[in-house]
Amino acid sequence: ESAAGAASCTCRTGTYMVEGECRVCRPGSKYDPDFMTFVPCPAGTYGDGDGICRGCPYGQVSGVGSPTCKTCERGFSIMDGKCAECPADHVSDGITCSTCPQGQQKVGLECLAITGEGQSAKVGSRAGNDESEGNLFDKAAGLDGFVVAIVVIVCAIFVVLVVSKVIKYQRSKGAHESEHHNRSRV
């Protein structure tokens, strides 16, 4: 066989010989050299289109033929390579399910401290998720009134300082423009 014929049997980097043609691997699959075809990446791996399946990073999962891995949602954990809902009395960090520590109870998707009146008070999310729930006023309602007052005062002082700087800048800018205007008349 000639050198030109041999060259036609090889594919450029990133493509693979499938059914006599050089083809690009689809995301979520890998090249199987034994059968000269593409096959889906197994669960727990991902394929980004380069013909290779890579294991998901710790704390992430994927299904068969997936181009990416994902983190389990709050209230779910990784069980047998899949996201599975935690038992009703457990919370989750997206990787494992656990019960609340002593003195806390599950409310929604997090553990809350049990207060003397039999109610719960938030002590921090066990879910390990940075997504906050509720708005600023909901969060402020859980703070001590004194802390809220201090925050309001600090914010007010900040606003006054910013406004005074803006006014001072505008006055100095106006003085420079007036001076420039007077020079151009001379």
Side-chain angles (χ1 to χ4, degrees):
E1 194 169 309
S2 70
S8 67
C9 292
T10 58
C11 296
R12 70 179 195 277
T13 303
T15 62
Y16 299 89
M17 182 66 65
V18 176
E19 299 174 359
E21 296 180 17
C22 292
R23 296 189 182 170
V24 176
C25 187
R26 289 184 323 272
S29 61
K30 67 177 180 174
Y31 181 69
D32 184 339
D34 295 333
F35 296 100
M36 295 181 62
T37 189
F38 297 111
V39 295
C41 290
T45 66
Y46 69 99
D48 58 11
D50 65 358
I52 301 169
C53 296
R54 292 173 180 77
C56 289
Y58 175 77
Q60 295 188 355
V61 296
S62 70
V64 173
S66 181
T68 60
C69 298
K70 68 175 185 171
T71 303
C72 296
E73 295 178 26
R74 289 178 57 181
F76 289 77
S77 69
I78 299 173
M79 292 184 194
D80 299 324
K82 298 177 183 174
C83 291
E85 193 168 5
C86 292
D89 61 339
H90 286 62
V91 292
S92 166
D93 60 3
I95 300 172
T96 59
C97 295
S98 61
T99 57
C100 291
Q102 188 172 355
Q104 294 184 18
Q105 66 184 14
K106 181 181 176 193
V107 176
L109 297 174
E110 59 192 354
C111 294
L112 302 177
I114 302 169
T115 64
E117 297 86 38
Q119 296 183 2
S120 301
K122 187 171 184 174
V123 294
S125 173
R126 287 279 311 236
N129 196 329
D130 289 337
E131 297 174 6
S132 299
E133 295 179 2
N135 62 35
L136 178 63
F137 297 107
D138 293 340
K139 291 180 179 107
L143 295 175
D144 183 81
F146 178 73
V147 174
V148 173
I150 296 296
V151 169
V152 169
I153 291 169
V154 169
C155 288
I157 291 170
F158 177 75
V159 168
V160 169
L161 290 173
V162 169
V163 169
S164 68
K165 289 280 188 186
V166 168
I167 291 170
K168 192 181 283 187
Y169 171 76
Q170 288 176 341
R171 284 183 182 162
S172 69
K173 184 178 174 186
H176 288 293
E177 286 176 359
S178 176
E179 184 179 312
H180 176 68
H181 182 67
N182 289 338
R183 282 187 192 168
S184 62
R185 291 175 132 181
V186 176

